Amino acid sequence: MPQTNLSAYNNSPYAPGGSALKRVLWYYVNLMFFKSAWLPVKDIKVSLLRLFGAKVGRGVVIKPNVNIKYAWNLSVGNHSWIGEGAWIDNLVMVTIGNNACISQGAILQTGSHNYKKTNFDLITGPITLQDGVWIGCGAIINQGVTAASHSVLTSGSVASKNLEAYTIYQGNPAIAVRTRIIE
């Protein structure tokens, strides 16, 4: 029976974008200003994201200890919020709409691996969170998922498939549990 052989792993088809210098600079900017708690000033964070190629709208709040893999693969709409300890592992594009909320410790992961291949090929897919989406604390959005307008992924839940508009999802794997009604 075939076995996994990580010595054969090759992700050369994947290109993270940006020059090597840009990636190194972003690594240290992310480490010093985003992944730490010593600079809670959101306006500086927004300016740094824009400097590195992110599209960031007005009124965006980025809390301390947020990890963003590559700024240039990020688009955040107006008045959205990224909570403490969130991890945006954006090997490819992550798009966050207006008035979206990513709660504490949530993970948006655009990459995984093909467990069926002996060399564990990298798999990537963009993530889109449309307007008004709420990702609960500790929830995980996997690669290729679109969370439609005003959908909710509850705390600790895992989304591996698209989320329908105005629907609340819960569990691992996340399933629709009820309609979101906004009063």
Side-chain angles (χ1 to χ4, degrees), residues 48-137:
L48 287 167
L49 282 170
R50 289 178 179 149
L51 180 68
F52 277 87
K55 293 178 178 73
V56 184
R58 295 178 321 277
V60 170
V61 174
I62 302 169
K63 293 294 197 171
N65 300 312
V66 170
N67 187 10
I68 300 170
K69 183 72 138 198
Y70 297 125
W72 48 93
N73 286 338
L74 183 63
S75 176
V76 183
N78 298 325
H79 307 290
S80 289
W81 182 67
I82 302 172
E84 291 92 347
W87 180 16
I88 302 176
D89 189 20
N90 53 339
L91 298 171
V92 295
M93 196 67 191
V94 167
T95 304
I96 301 167
N98 299 317
N99 301 296
C101 177
I102 301 169
S103 294
Q104 302 87 337
I107 299 171
L108 281 60
Q109 59 183 22
T110 61
S112 189
H113 297 277
N114 187 343
Y115 63 86
K116 295 178 182 177
K117 300 285 189 171
T118 60
N119 61 346
F120 216 48
D121 292 344
L122 179 66
I123 301 169
T124 61
I127 292 174
T128 302
L129 307 180
Q130 295 179 354
D131 294 349
V133 165
W134 178 18
I135 307 302
C137 60

Side-chain angles (χ1 to χ4, degrees), residues 39-52:
L39 182 69
V41 182
K42 66 180 178 68
D43 293 337
I44 293 172
K45 293 178 184 180
V46 167
S47 295
L48 287 167
L49 282 170
R50 289 178 179 149
L51 180 68
F52 277 87

Side-chain angles (χ1 to χ4, degrees), residues 34 70-71 73-74 117 123 129 141-143 154 156 170 172 174 178 181:
F34 291 86
Y70 297 125
N73 286 338
L74 183 63
K117 300 285 189 171
I123 301 169
L129 307 180
I141 300 278
N142 285 310
Q143 77 277 357
T154 62
Q170 185 174 32
N172 180 7
R178 64 187 157 279
I181 299 169

Side-chain angles (χ1 to χ4, degrees), residues 1-25:
M1 174 162 296
Q3 296 182 2
T4 302
N5 179 6
L6 294 180
S7 69
Y9 178 75
N10 176 7
N11 74 344
S12 64
Y14 169 71
S19 67
L21 177 61
K22 184 177 182 180
R23 289 192 306 272
V24 167
L25 287 173

